[in-house]
Amino acid sequence: MTLLTRREFLAAGLGGFPFFWRKRSLALAGMRFRIVRRGRSDRRYLWIHGDERTARDVLLEHLKTARGTAYLTTSLERTFPLLGGRIDPNRMFSRAGAAKNLRALNPQWTAAQLDAALNRLDRDRERFLRAILPPPGGLLIALHNNARGYSVRDEVPISDRVSLADPDHPNNFMLVTDPADFERLARSSFNVVLQNTAPIDDDGSLSRLAARRGVRYLNIETRLGDAKSQREILKFVTELPR
Ligand SMILES: [Zn+2]
């Protein structure tokens, strides 16, 4: 192998190495996420359900001015293909939660097929989490939309603390894992629930994983199509202290 001179190295376009090695996408068991980076920040953003387009639009618009790294699903549907079946990506964050979801979505699967899919998820999960989870002190913000009646009322019975400042809009709320964030947000005009204790029934969602690992996590859930509310909440959340 020939050693490149500095001039050749730069001419080859490798002088910009801090950029070329940075990946533009990330995958877990074949499920691909596009990475959008804006400056240096310990803020992470995740858009995980491909059918929740309002959340994607609001997030991409937000990143025109805000700093942070965003991970966006490349699926156009809610679920991802996995080994000939399908999975809800927000149920893949624990083996137990993924098993329940895979059984429901792929009733024709044999026990061996189910095991193969769960093993594949187990093998890739930590590498994926190392990328998307924020550094200590950082914050992970997930954006979701609902259209099928899901609302804060479904979360109230399984939450540690609840503040319903906007009871007329139960579809618009935040779910947080950090008690200090809850304190601040409970003084806002938005609905917020705190879930910071390890759940008895782990559904495999990212919020449950974040609670279990003590990760500072915040989920902004608004009605599909209500970009105005989601934008407003995201702007408010961005001003939370670091
Ligand atoms: Zn969702």
Side-chain angles (χ1 to χ4, degrees):
M1 194 180 133
T2 327
L3 283 174
L4 295 176
T5 63
R6 178 171 162 75
R7 180 177 301 203
E8 282 163 343
F9 180 77
L10 292 173
L14 301 176
F17 78 91
F19 302 100
F20 89 81
W21 58 262
R22 306 193 91 182
K23 286 203 199 132
R24 299 217 173 120
S25 74
L26 175 74
L28 192 163
M31 303 178 238
R32 195 155 285 281
F33 289 77
R34 173 184 158 211
I35 305 174
V36 178
R37 291 190 180 84
R38 292 286 180 262
R40 278 183 173 277
S41 165
D42 56 8
R43 296 276 157 104
R44 301 282 181 273
Y45 298 91
L46 179 69
W47 175 60
I48 199 167
H49 282 142
D51 61 340
E52 298 173 358
R53 307 297 163 79
T54 308
R56 181 201 53 186
D57 294 348
V58 167
L59 175 55
L60 288 175
E61 178 193 288
H62 179 71
L63 287 170
K64 286 180 184 166
T65 51
R67 285 166 180 244
T69 302
Y71 299 86
L72 298 106
T73 176
T74 56
S75 174
L76 297 173
E77 297 167 51
R78 184 173 191 80
T79 57
F80 263 118
L82 176 65
L83 301 184
R86 300 203 74 84
I87 185 168
D88 179 334
N90 201 29
R91 294 291 177 267
M92 69 187 181
F93 294 102
S94 76
R95 188 174 174 100
K100 211 180 297 170
N101 184 248
L102 286 168
R103 269 190 220 106
L105 295 187
N106 310 284
Q108 76 288 1
W109 269 14
T110 62
Q113 279 177 299
L114 179 65
D115 261 1
L118 293 173
N119 293 342
R120 181 78 201 275
L121 291 170
D122 283 351
R123 202 167 70 216
D124 284 13
R125 190 181 293 110
E126 283 307 315
R127 198 171 48 86
F128 183 79
L129 289 171
R130 269 201 300 279
I132 67 159
L133 295 183
L139 171 63
L140 172 59
I141 300 172
L143 289 98
H144 287 270
N145 299 129
N146 55 70
R148 286 173 286 262
Y150 169 69
S151 81
V152 71
R153 294 193 193 107
D154 298 289
E155 297 295 342
V156 166
I158 52 169
S159 294
D160 298 287
R161 296 182 66 190
V162 173
S163 170
L164 299 182
D166 187 13
D168 294 339
H169 300 97
N171 298 93
N172 298 348
F173 66 98
M174 284 170 277
L175 187 162
V176 302
T177 59
D178 184 295
D181 284 338
F182 177 83
E183 291 293 340
R184 291 178 202 110
L185 295 168
R187 290 193 293 266
S188 78
S189 56
F190 305 114
N191 300 319
V192 55
V193 299
L194 172 70
Q195 294 182 5
N196 66 329
T197 47
I200 300 158
D201 184 24
D202 188 332
D203 64 0
S205 63
L206 184 56
S207 62
R208 289 312 197 177
L209 178 129
R212 205 163 56 233
R213 295 197 183 184
V215 172
R216 188 180 172 202
Y217 169 92
L218 194 155
N219 176 359
I220 304 175
E221 180 82 48
T222 59
R223 184 177 278 284
L224 188 67
D226 190 356
K228 184 173 170 284
S229 297
Q230 197 151 35
R231 205 179 289 132
E232 233 171 68
I233 299 176
L234 182 57
K235 187 170 182 297
F236 189 85
V237 159
T238 306
E239 282 149 25
L240 282 173
R242 296 192 173 264

